[in-house]
Amino acid sequence: AKKMGGNKVVVFSEQLRKANIKRPQLEARLRKAIENELLEVYYQPKMNVKEGTIFGVEALLRWTDDELGVVSPEIFIPIAEETELIQPIWEFVMKTACSQVSIWNRNRPIPLSVGVNFSARQFQEPRKMVTMIEEILANNELRPDCFEIEITESILLNNSREIVQSLRTLKSLGISISIDDFGTGYSSLSYLKDLPIDCLKIDKSFIQNIEEDYENSEIPEAIINLGRSLKLKVIAEGVEKEYQKEFLLSRDCCLMQGYLFSRPLNKSDFEEYLRKQKEA
Ligand code: C2E
Ligand code: CA
Ligand code: CA
Ligand code: CA
């Protein structure tokens, strides 16, 4: 009943079906959207709830099409991943988010970190990827320790020597690496000891299943304990309800992200959010 993301995709496919848009057309529109800069980066705050502070943001893409309206990344990212389009999209998100956060950080005593979602495609040429990351951070004067890579377990399934090497290089630069949607993948857990992972992001499906009486909290609890044993940070995503927050705090998991704090916001709304946060 809580498959929000799932429903959304159905609704969107329905929207695409009604507009009589077929996959090749959608791909063509996406290509145009990239050329015409119709993609936009939104920012969702990552909170340290114990301290009452924002410690970072996650960059999330939005595509507004003239006819289709807002197309969910759950629809267009998979299309971009199957084509070569994910590369220019990734570069766009990297450059936009890094330059934006670097600007915000000028006025902050403690800088924000920015998390960017990476696709498997980026890891096809890991050395090139590392070089580009270094370049983009340097060009935007963003400290590497303010940059975070969000990857899913599936990328690590194919942990070739080259990928492992690149992750180590990134880590040595001060960049942190988070496992997104943690707990939904199929990989063994052994990689957690072998790879330079910094943080586990508890998938939002697990958080949303937690009920008022803390029913269904076993999996988040297990992930929190696993993270603690391995000395990893743990952040919960998809926190919508006060009692989900309370549960997490009671287990000493104070890093959270979710609609309870804020939806992903565009640049100007996020600036407004930061201003209000400052006043509060
Ligand atoms: P994700 O990386 O797991 O991102 C979290 C998703 O959960 C985002 O959906 C976010 O808006 C949503 N979310 C955050 N808090 C809540 C909450 O409290 N409740 C609910 N129901 N949802 C919440 P979004 O923005 O639609 O993105 C969906 C997915 O698309 C992302 O999942 C990510 O896998 C992919 N994506 C988005 N932007 C990019 C990008 O720049 N590059 C790549 N490769 N993938 C991206
Ligand atoms: Ca993510
Ligand atoms: Ca996630
Ligand atoms: Ca996801």
Side-chain angles (χ1 to χ4, degrees):
K2 299 231 168 87
K3 284 247 169 90
M4 281 276 286
N7 287 337
K8 204 167 70 185
V9 173
V10 173
V11 172
F12 271 105
S13 329
E14 183 72 5
Q15 197 181 44
L16 296 177
R17 198 181 55 75
K18 275 193 186 138
N20 201 17
I21 299 264
K22 299 274 176 341
R23 155 78 210 238
Q25 290 166 281
L26 196 62
E27 188 182 320
R29 272 171 181 270
L30 180 58
R31 207 175 286 274
K32 276 245 164 64
I34 297 167
E35 282 165 19
N36 300 333
E37 300 177 359
L38 296 177
L39 298 183
E40 203 179 347
V41 178
Y42 275 51
Y43 304 89
Q44 188 178 37
K46 296 182 178 182
M47 318 296 295
N48 182 325
V49 177
K50 206 183 205 164
E51 292 174 2
T53 54
I54 305 173
F55 69 92
V57 299
E58 176 173 3
L60 291 159
L61 266 176
R62 295 292 178 264
W63 169 24
T64 310
D65 179 86
D66 314 335
E67 280 173 54
L68 300 171
V70 180
V71 184
S72 165
E74 309 218 41
I75 298 274
F76 72 84
I77 291 290
I79 293 177
E81 283 174 345
E82 286 170 29
T83 60
E84 80 294 359
L85 292 175
I86 195 67
Q87 191 60 22
I89 288 181
W90 174 75
E91 285 187 43
F92 167 75
V93 175
M94 285 290 297
K95 288 177 183 163
T96 310
C98 291
S99 86
Q100 187 56 70
V101 171
S102 165
I103 291 169
W104 287 334
N105 282 346
R106 286 181 199 156
N107 302 319
R108 296 181 65 86
I110 302 171
L112 295 170
S113 76
V114 54
V116 172
N117 292 290
F118 278 52
S119 297
R121 195 56 89 97
Q122 267 76 57
F123 285 85
Q124 274 180 0
E125 293 179 90
R127 272 187 286 265
K128 181 177 162 206
M129 174 188 76
V130 172
T131 309
M132 291 194 65
I133 294 172
E134 287 189 82
E135 251 176 49
I136 294 171
L137 297 184
N139 288 342
N140 293 291
E141 294 173 41
L142 188 75
R143 282 165 35 182
D145 62 346
C146 291
F147 183 69
E148 187 187 340
I149 291 175
E150 297 195 5
I151 53 177
T152 54
E153 292 163 279
S154 59
I155 291 176
L156 302 174
L157 274 180
N158 163 35
N159 62 355
S160 69
R161 267 268 275 302
E162 218 188 340
I163 291 185
V164 176
Q165 265 311 322
S166 312
L167 291 174
R168 297 225 166 96
T169 307
L170 293 169
K171 171 87 175 179
S172 70
L173 296 171
I175 292 169
S176 42
I177 297 155
S178 294
I179 305 299
D180 213 345
D181 303 345
F182 187 77
T184 63
Y186 299 97
S187 54
S188 76
L189 294 174
S190 56
Y191 72 87
L192 290 177
K193 284 203 76 169
D194 303 336
L195 295 180
I197 307 298
D198 298 279
C199 176
L200 307 178
K201 292 193 83 171
I202 308 176
D203 189 65
K204 59 176 180 289
S205 62
F206 298 126
I207 301 303
Q208 292 178 351
N209 282 334
I210 301 174
E211 290 172 29
E212 194 141 20
D213 53 4
Y214 295 177
E215 190 78 11
N216 294 326
S217 59
E218 298 84 358
I219 292 175
E221 174 140 31
I223 296 175
I224 293 167
N225 291 333
L226 177 67
R228 189 163 298 137
S229 314
L230 294 171
K231 301 194 167 56
L232 303 173
K233 287 200 280 182
V234 176
I235 179 167
E237 67 174 21
V239 180
E240 292 184 357
K241 302 279 203 286
E242 194 65 33
Y243 56 78
Q244 294 163 347
K245 178 184 101 178
E246 291 307 328
F247 167 78
L248 292 160
L249 279 178
S250 78
R251 297 301 187 271
D252 219 18
C253 172
C254 45
L255 308 184
M256 302 181 207
Q257 194 181 339
Y259 295 169
L260 180 64
F261 312 101
S262 169
R263 290 187 172 255
L265 302 170
N266 68 19
K267 169 184 184 290
S268 60
D269 288 344
F270 191 78
E271 287 173 348
E272 182 70 32
Y273 182 84
L274 285 179
R275 265 197 299 277
K276 282 198 188 128
Q277 191 82 9
K278 221 172 170 181
E279 286 159 16

